[in-house]
Amino acid sequence: MPAADRLVILDRDGVINQDSDEYVKSLEEWIPYPAAIEAIARLSRAGWTVAVATNQSGIARGYYDVEMLEAIHDRLRELVREAGGEIAHIAHCPHGPDDGCGCRKPLPGLLEEVREALSMEDLSGSWMVGDSLRDLQAGEPLGCKPVLVRTGKGRRTEEKGEGLDGAMVFDDLAAFVDWLLARGDSDEQSRPARKTAR
């Protein structure tokens, strides 16, 4: 069972790969950030557990199907393995915003799925990394520490400035991982209230 304080949960689009207002509908349209793949592998090699929690309403909208989503996620896992890392679990919400599900972020259902899949009692002290406010909000009820990255929709989210109290802000996933691995196992008091990486 992973320790909660050694778990990093990532949003997908805009954090691991380029986002698209037209949705990422195929393997050709799924363009990973090379630095993000390497960052995931570095976390894994350093003994951290990495999971992904991603809204995929394009399934409900009919833009692609679950099989295509799984092909993309297989490719993601393959790239991370090639870099020497591992993704412990990928949770996705296939529903649209009006479907009334419990898993679409900002609701915490996807993170509960991660917790159950990893046989963890709770997620308190885990890190939730995203490029939108709803990513960070999904982790709040479960005690996750919020991290905003400026890739994807992150800069727009930062400019709005809403709901980011206590969130740390980094240029990208690699910058966050640099900081996280450099701090080692230092205690919570060493954590700044908000870090801005340039």
Side-chain angles (χ1 to χ4, degrees):
M1 180 192 307
D5 63 357
R6 301 282 287 182
L7 170 66
V8 176
I9 304 170
L10 307 174
D11 175 46
R12 196 194 80 179
D13 299 330
V15 176
I16 298 173
N17 56 273
Q18 294 180 22
D19 201 356
S20 170
D21 290 336
E22 304 300 319
Y23 296 84
V24 178
K25 304 180 292 296
S26 67
L27 277 168
E28 292 73 27
E29 295 176 14
W30 185 73
I31 304 172
Y33 300 124
I37 298 296
E38 178 59 27
I40 294 170
R42 286 168 55 209
L43 279 174
S44 188
R45 294 195 302 263
W48 289 74
T49 301
V50 181
V52 176
T54 176
N55 286 353
Q56 292 295 324
S57 69
I59 294 174
R61 300 172 199 269
Y63 297 150
Y64 51 92
D65 56 24
V66 173
E67 288 74 21
M68 177 53 66
L69 183 70
E70 287 303 321
I72 292 171
H73 289 169
D74 286 346
R75 179 64 177 147
L76 168 57
R77 291 185 184 96
E78 178 185 14
L79 289 175
V80 171
R81 280 196 300 267
E82 289 174 354
E86 180 184 358
I87 294 177
H89 185 71
I90 300 178
H92 77 271
C93 169
H95 305 109
D98 301 321
D99 287 349
C101 70
C103 50
R104 181 177 167 83
K105 293 178 291 185
L107 297 175
L110 287 180
L111 276 68
E112 286 284 8
E113 179 186 327
V114 168
R115 182 189 64 76
E116 292 175 7
L118 300 182
S119 301
M120 299 174 66
E121 292 184 6
D122 64 67
L123 296 180
S124 182
S126 301
W127 298 89
M128 179 66 221
V129 183
D131 67 330
S132 69
L133 182 58
R134 67 185 178 192
D135 296 322
L136 311 189
Q137 289 172 330
E140 285 178 9
L142 303 177
C144 297
K145 294 181 278 192
V147 174
L148 179 74
V149 292
R150 294 190 176 106
T151 47
K153 299 180 178 70
R155 289 192 183 277
R156 274 183 278 170
T157 302
E158 183 183 21
E159 286 167 5
K160 288 181 182 177
E162 299 170 2
L164 297 179
D165 293 343
M168 302 183 72
V169 182
F170 292 88
D171 277 346
D172 58 14
L173 180 58
F176 166 63
V177 171
D178 286 345
W179 174 83
L180 189 63
L181 296 183
R183 74 194 275 271
D185 292 320
S186 56
D187 62 29
E188 181 71 13
Q189 293 181 348
S190 69
R191 174 177 172 253
R194 180 167 180 179
K195 181 171 181 67
T196 299
R198 296 284 176 198

